[in-house]
Amino acid sequence: SRGLRDHEISRCNNAQYNVVVLGDSYTFGWGVELERTYPKVLESLLRSRGYKINVLNAGVYGYNTAQELRFLTREIMPKICPKPDLVIVGFVSNDTAVQGVVPRHPFINHCRSYWHFWFLEFVKSRINRLLNSGQQIKNDGFAKSGDFYPIKVRLADPYIDVVTQGYREDFPGWQGCKQSLEAMRALSIERGFDLLLVLMPDFARDLFVNLNGKWEFQ
């Protein structure tokens, strides 16, 4: 009812150790049953060892780090878990991207401006498609047509690779990502919770190869 992929909860129980897990589709668990998402697996493992713990899956597919910060400060802490003991940030390599194609809820409440509404992103993507007609865009190692590239980030540039270019100091998404992580750190000190940044492998890229019938990390 609050836009989370988790069991119904009114507010976190102060008698338990409360963990909030932020992230995108990897945390949300796209294509995976709820109990097999890693926040719920973590909760199950620790409870089986006798810990009174509540792990809240606050992952939203399509979110970047800036949106995760807004979700934490505007929804999670004010309304669901005012005093988390630990906040885990599931960080994936494309989290520096300025996202546009994401769920309406709770995204609309946490977008930077009206430019990030899905309809305007759709219009901008179509403009970029016309400008890039006949060309291929390299994004995350895959060739795609010129869709879903916000004009405010990179206008008519058909060669954007978030992984290789998304960490340049002049890249807006990386600047916003660093600012958001710093804000989370400051918030953790102010509110007295631990902060854990988990760097997750991007299984959508060609980092894992099938060698003689066995998947290995390249």
Side-chain angles (χ1 to χ4, degrees):
S1 64
R2 296 185 180 273
L4 303 176
R5 189 191 181 193
D6 209 322
H7 302 293
E8 192 64 38
I9 182 173
S10 54
R11 292 173 75 88
C12 286
N13 185 349
N14 291 331
Q16 293 180 319
Y17 187 87
N18 295 302
V19 179
V20 173
V21 187
L22 303 173
D24 56 12
S25 57
Y26 282 59
T27 301
F28 177 88
W30 187 269
V32 177
E33 295 177 357
L34 173 60
E35 299 305 325
R36 297 186 64 186
T37 63
Y38 76 84
K40 295 290 101 178
V41 170
L42 174 64
E43 180 181 75
S44 177
L45 287 173
L46 293 175
R47 284 182 176 179
S48 69
R49 298 177 184 178
Y51 293 99
K52 295 181 179 180
I53 190 168
N54 177 55
V55 181
L56 184 67
N57 187 341
V60 180
Y61 54 94
Y63 265 16
N64 59 22
T65 309
Q67 291 165 313
E68 291 160 10
L69 171 64
R70 288 179 177 83
F71 196 31
L72 176 67
T73 56
R74 297 185 184 183
E75 292 290 333
I76 302 298
M77 294 186 68
K79 302 177 182 179
I80 302 175
C81 194
K83 296 181 180 180
D85 297 288
L86 171 65
V87 172
I88 298 175
V89 181
F91 189 88
V92 182
S93 58
N94 66 356
D95 282 354
T96 64
V98 179
Q99 304 288 7
V101 185
V102 295
R104 187 183 187 283
H105 179 79
F107 166 70
I108 293 298
N109 294 327
H110 309 292
C111 58
R112 289 184 176 180
S113 68
Y114 66 92
W115 290 106
H116 287 79
F117 277 73
W118 71 268
F119 178 74
L120 291 180
E121 289 297 338
F122 173 81
V123 172
K124 287 186 288 182
S125 74
R126 288 304 180 267
I127 294 174
N128 268 330
R129 171 183 284 187
L130 292 175
L131 293 173
N132 295 325
S133 60
Q135 301 187 68
Q136 291 291 310
I137 287 181
K138 182 182 180 183
N139 180 38
D140 288 347
F142 298 96
K144 295 182 179 180
S145 61
D147 282 347
F148 309 127
Y149 283 85
I151 290 176
K152 64 177 292 187
V153 177
R154 195 67 64 101
L155 174 61
D157 185 344
Y159 301 105
I160 299 175
D161 187 336
V162 174
V163 175
T164 60
Q165 302 181 42
Y167 292 88
R168 296 188 326 218
E169 291 302 320
D170 63 339
F171 189 74
W174 177 227
Q175 295 171 357
C177 179
K178 289 192 295 183
Q179 293 170 1
S180 299
L181 290 174
E182 284 292 335
M184 288 186 192
R185 185 179 72 90
L187 184 64
S188 71
I189 296 173
E190 176 187 342
R191 298 292 185 91
F193 61 82
D194 293 320
L195 182 65
L196 178 63
L197 180 65
V198 178
L199 303 180
M200 306 184 66
D202 188 352
F203 292 96
R205 292 179 57 80
D206 292 332
L207 297 175
F208 296 85
V209 294
N210 191 337
L211 299 175
N212 299 322
K214 180 180 179 181
W215 287 97
E216 296 184 3
F217 186 73
Q218 188 178 40

